[in-house]
Amino acid sequence: MADDGSAESGYFRHHVFCCVNERSEGNSRGCCKRKGGEDLRNYMKSQAKRMGLAGVRINSAGCLDRCELGPTLVVYPEGIWYRAETTADVDEILTAHLRDGKPVERLMLGKEKQ
Amino acid sequence: MADDGSAESGYFRHHVFCCVNERSEGNSRGCCKRKGGEDLRNYMKSQAKRMGLAGVRINSAGCLDRCELGPTLVVYPEGIWYRAETTADVDEILTAHLRDGKPVERLMLGKEKQ
């Protein structure tokens, strides 16, 4: 890998950002936190550690602007977006995508807002 | 662009994550928040909006694990990491990298922890 801070020398093989943003209860868009996003992120972080996934970082993030579709997360550098609603969904992303390199099509978000 | 949620159909042209993590005052690693990370992120978000940068999202993030080098941010999908200490640094990243597509070498992080 290159040595210049570019994508080729990226610190992480997969860098995951899980939305944990909270909106007020009546907000029409909803929010990932009220849909369980923070708990799912904590679960994902602990499972990734338990699995010993090298080069994988599970971060929390502010609003990813896909509130209606949450709980959302995005995996970079691939730029693959997911809705992960359950711990089983999270397990599948961890195992298939982050461990085995095979993105999980059934959980991917499309281009709804583009 | 593709229509499958992959990198080619990514929601954002540049997705920026600014660490706003806070550690306790005595922590030996320091933390981005105590180095101004949150204020700089808020400045970057408002400037990006003012500049009308299409396809650019400025997010806050939890600990990016480069605490000693902060305030840190990373731009995906390029995977380019920066230390931005001042509003002038932020302006340069916004203008050169996110508007004009020319990453700012003088602010890039290397592979210190790899």
Side-chain angles (χ1 to χ4, degrees):
Chain A
M1 293 201 294
D3 193 9
D4 59 358
S6 70
E8 291 71 25
S9 71
Y11 289 119
F12 305 119
R13 185 167 54 90
H14 295 296
H15 201 169
V16 181
F17 294 92
C18 303
C19 183
V20 300
N21 188 56
E22 182 171 14
R23 291 181 183 276
S24 59
E25 199 164 355
N27 190 289
S28 61
R29 299 189 70 188
C31 66
C32 290
K33 185 166 182 181
R34 290 182 188 276
K35 295 172 184 173
E38 190 166 42
D39 289 342
L40 288 164
R41 182 263 171 177
N42 292 340
Y43 174 79
M44 192 172 201
K45 183 178 178 180
S46 65
Q47 284 294 95
K49 187 173 182 180
R50 192 187 62 74
M51 294 168 68
L53 291 180
V56 171
R57 179 132 187 120
I58 313 295
N59 262 119
S60 58
C63 179
L64 298 177
D65 200 26
R66 297 294 172 274
C67 316
E68 301 84 350
L69 305 173
T72 58
L73 62 90
V74 56
V75 183
Y76 282 112
E78 305 94 308
I80 292 179
W81 290 73
Y82 290 116
R83 176 194 293 115
E85 296 181 285
T86 66
T87 55
D89 291 344
V90 168
D91 284 335
E92 190 170 346
I93 294 167
L94 283 165
T95 303
H97 186 162
L98 305 181
R99 189 190 67 188
D100 298 341
K102 298 175 182 170
V104 184
E105 295 203 11
R106 75 172 189 87
L107 298 174
M108 283 183 193
L109 301 185
K111 295 171 63 175
E112 293 81 355
K113 283 196 60 169
Q114 292 192 322
Chain B
M1 295 201 292
D3 192 11
D4 59 359
S6 69
E8 291 70 27
S9 71
Y11 289 119
F12 305 119
R13 186 167 53 89
H14 295 297
H15 200 169
V16 181
F17 294 92
C18 303
C19 182
V20 299
N21 188 56
E22 182 171 13
R23 291 181 182 276
S24 59
E25 198 165 354
N27 190 290
S28 61
R29 300 190 69 189
C31 66
C32 289
K33 186 165 182 182
R34 291 181 188 278
K35 295 173 185 173
E38 190 166 42
D39 289 343
L40 289 164
R41 182 264 171 177
N42 293 338
Y43 175 79
M44 192 172 199
K45 183 178 178 180
S46 65
Q47 284 295 95
K49 187 172 182 180
R50 190 187 61 75
M51 292 168 69
L53 292 180
V56 172
R57 180 131 186 119
I58 313 295
N59 262 118
S60 57
C63 179
L64 298 178
D65 199 26
R66 297 294 173 276
C67 317
E68 300 84 350
L69 306 173
T72 58
L73 62 90
V74 56
V75 182
Y76 281 112
E78 305 93 307
I80 293 179
W81 290 72
Y82 290 115
R83 176 195 294 115
E85 295 181 286
T86 66
T87 55
D89 291 344
V90 168
D91 284 336
E92 190 170 346
I93 293 167
L94 283 164
T95 303
H97 186 162
L98 305 180
R99 188 190 68 189
D100 298 341
K102 297 175 184 171
V104 183
E105 296 203 11
R106 75 172 188 87
L107 298 173
M108 282 184 193
L109 300 186
K111 295 172 63 177
E112 293 80 355
K113 284 198 58 169
Q114 290 192 324

